[in-house]
Amino acid sequence: MKDTILGLECEYGVYLLDTKTGKPPNDNNGINKFADLFALVGPERCPPIDFIENGGRLYKDTGEHPEFAMPECSTVYEAVKYLRSGNEIMYECQMSLENEFKKHKREIKIIFRADNKTVNPKNLEDYNSHGTHENYLIRRKTFQHIPPNDGNIKKYLLTFFITRQIYTGSGSIFIKNKNNSYPQGYVISPRAFFIEKEIGFGTTSERAIINSKDESHTYQEELARLHIICGDTNRSDWSNWLKIGITSLVISILDKQPAAFKGLPVIQDGMSLKVFRKISEERDPKNKNPYWDDYPALSPIEVQKYYLEKAGEYVSKISGGSEERQIIDEWTKILVMLERNDEELCQILDWKIKEYFLQEYAARKAIKAADFHDYKLAQIDLKYHDLGPNSIFEILEKNGHIKRIISDEEVLDGMINPPTTTRALARGTGIKFGRQMGLSPQANWTFVKLDNIEFSLMNPFANHNRQLENFKKETY
């Protein structure tokens, strides 16, 4: 879409297994923290914990977990591609780490898991949460209208986010724990149960549906980055495409013409968290809820249809481009499919893929468990999100049970080459040149530095820096 910058950050859980026992190692020996894992390997045998040549960033985030922040993208297709490339980079890293353990005479299996609900392997009732954070470029003026003192944009966003889970949910099983703080059984969106506020700036505690953290990584006076942390971590290309595409279109409309959504149903004050979790637990997108201002009881599908209708009118009015039109088409199709409970959903949406697979597995193994409330099924649920060719997701996809968008060749390209239409190109090629020439490259979202000379990357739409290009010519 025009004037769009998209970026996602995927957090990964880290699990260690002793291959002799099949259980987590009993000793620490400096290997139970992500930073310690990378300290064993070293940058020459593993992607560095820093900005890399595809323009993205691999790093250790708060809580000792690895995270990949993909390079800035200007299309939905690109964003889905670089999410997959990030997963493959992390899998390569996993393999490098395992080989290094073998050199230290340790038979340790490492699992990187792209999921939302991190579970203590020794206690399946002990939950924490990782996530996928979404970032959308908007005008500073719009960002200033989102805080609690302004009702319209905030309410549109809250309503959209709590209902979009019907096509963005990753699905998950909760084993009921002792303090009853989580649901029991299978839900659409596990992330819904780790969100505690409507608006806030926390990412590790007091997480909010709308994150108010103000780090634009660009011209602060003009632009802002809308940071969304309430979404699930998806494996399916189509779940990711629908999530990024539809969300980017809705945010773009609110940024440019918020009046386009005037009169749409919005969630009642103070009811967002309740309805967010209720939709997730009910697992029926056609179930109606009565918590909308000036509207009767509506289902999540019906709410999404209202937003789709207004978005379609907006795209027609501005003679939107091919990507905007495709988003409207696919948004329409997925809501119709959900209304019919179409079988094809089990090849497209993560929560439906996983639900169907768990049903089939339980039937084969004669597991009789109400609403999947079973420890064996809960373990299978988690393994869906493992990285690598032996993960349940990738086996299902390879065997044709999951429809994909991005080819293997495109994934490999995204691992080493940056997008060509954003500043990620200047960053990635600058880093690559610096390493080739021994210039000790350093980078941030807003600059790249070679031989202690800093080149600005403040404009996210500028895919080259003239001074940087001249420096490369003179140095080479």
Side-chain angles (χ1 to χ4, degrees), residues 400-417:
H401 298 299
I402 299 175
K403 294 187 176 182
R404 69 182 295 179
I405 298 172
I406 309 301
S407 69
D408 289 336
E409 292 75 19
E410 289 172 310
V411 172
L412 292 174
D413 175 75
M415 293 173 67
I416 56 176
N417 295 314

Side-chain angles (χ1 to χ4, degrees), residues 30-265:
I31 60 169
N32 275 348
K33 290 185 178 180
F34 177 65
D36 297 328
L37 296 178
F38 269 81
L40 279 175
V41 176
E44 72 279 4
R45 292 184 295 276
C46 189
I49 309 177
D50 205 342
F51 284 88
I52 56 179
E53 292 179 9
N54 75 351
R57 186 184 179 212
L58 172 62
Y59 59 106
K60 176 180 73 71
D61 199 15
T62 306
E64 296 290 346
H65 63 260
E67 183 161 335
F68 176 73
M70 73 185 204
E72 302 92 331
C73 296
S74 61
T75 70
V76 179
Y77 193 92
E78 269 188 342
V80 178
K81 167 185 169 178
Y82 280 93
L83 271 177
R84 285 200 77 128
S85 296
N87 285 340
E88 197 62 31
I89 289 169
M90 291 304 302
Y91 179 67
E92 279 197 353
C93 186
Q94 176 181 314
M95 293 296 97
S96 296
L97 288 163
E98 285 187 5
N99 290 334
E100 193 65 18
F101 274 121
K102 290 177 182 177
K103 294 178 185 178
H104 288 72
K105 309 300 181 184
R106 297 298 304 271
E107 293 296 324
I108 301 295
K109 172 68 176 174
I110 300 171
I111 299 169
F112 286 164
R113 187 171 284 159
D115 65 353
N116 281 100
K117 182 168 62 51
T118 305
V119 177
N120 182 343
K122 298 178 181 179
N123 180 5
L124 289 180
E125 299 175 6
D126 183 9
Y127 302 125
N128 199 350
S129 181
H130 292 125
T132 292
H133 298 182
E134 305 159 56
N135 299 287
Y136 303 91
L137 189 71
I138 59 175
R139 295 178 302 160
R140 170 64 50 183
K141 179 180 178 182
T142 304
F143 186 84
Q144 291 171 336
H145 285 170
I146 293 174
N149 58 358
D150 188 290
N152 290 336
I153 294 179
K154 181 191 81 168
K155 283 197 169 186
Y156 295 141
L157 287 173
L158 288 173
T159 304
F160 172 73
F161 284 128
I162 65 175
T163 56
R164 72 169 187 168
Q165 64 176 288
I166 59 176
Y167 48 82
T168 66
S170 66
S172 194
I173 294 173
F174 281 92
I175 299 295
K176 193 168 186 178
N177 59 2
K178 294 177 182 177
N179 61 8
N180 295 323
S181 55
Y182 298 102
Q184 176 177 329
Y186 193 73
V187 299
I188 293 178
S189 170
R191 188 67 166 173
F193 302 93
F194 297 99
I195 299 297
E196 304 170 64
K197 300 173 69 175
E198 289 187 345
I199 293 185
F201 59 84
T203 56
T204 59
S205 63
E206 296 190 331
R207 301 177 183 97
I209 296 172
I210 302 171
N211 187 270
S212 56
K213 182 169 69 173
D214 188 4
E215 295 177 357
S216 66
H217 299 312
T218 182
Y219 301 114
Q220 187 79 10
E221 302 80 11
E222 303 170 25
L223 299 168
R225 176 174 63 113
L226 186 57
H227 189 61
I228 303 301
I229 68 168
C230 64
D232 286 354
T233 298
N234 297 108
R235 295 301 313 273
S236 160
D237 283 355
W238 273 108
S239 280
N240 276 315
W241 194 96
L242 291 163
K243 174 172 68 179
I244 301 165
I246 296 171
T247 303
S248 63
L249 178 58
V250 168
I251 289 173
S252 177
I253 295 170
L254 286 172
D255 188 36
K256 295 179 174 67
Q257 193 179 326
F261 287 149
K262 186 176 181 180
L264 289 185

Side-chain angles (χ1 to χ4, degrees), residues 409-475:
E409 292 75 19
E410 289 172 310
V411 172
L412 292 174
D413 175 75
M415 293 173 67
I416 56 176
N417 295 314
T420 60
T421 57
T422 70
R423 66 184 175 191
L425 179 64
R427 182 188 305 113
T429 55
I431 291 169
K432 183 176 182 179
F433 179 81
R435 288 178 181 158
Q436 289 173 341
M437 302 300 292
L439 299 176
S440 303
Q442 301 175 49
N444 203 322
W445 295 112
T446 58
F447 70 81
V448 63
K449 186 183 289 187
L450 303 178
D451 203 20
N452 288 322
I453 302 173
E454 187 173 303
F455 302 94
S456 173
L457 301 177
M458 286 298 290
N459 183 353
F461 298 99
N463 62 356
H464 73 283
N465 178 294
R466 186 175 300 174
Q467 288 77 25
L468 174 59
E469 294 305 312
N470 289 337
F471 174 83
K472 287 158 69 174
K473 290 177 183 177
E474 293 168 3
T475 305

Side-chain angles (χ1 to χ4, degrees), residues 261-296:
F261 287 149
K262 186 176 181 180
L264 289 185
V266 293
I267 191 68
Q268 292 175 3
D269 289 339
M271 297 303 296
S272 297
L273 295 177
K274 177 178 179 177
V275 175
F276 196 12
R277 294 167 182 171
K278 190 171 186 287
I279 293 170
S280 182
E281 285 191 78
E282 289 176 341
R283 295 208 328 265
D284 185 350
K286 292 182 284 188
N287 275 5
K288 295 179 184 288
N289 288 291
Y291 307 110
W292 318 103
D293 279 347
D294 303 321
Y295 274 81

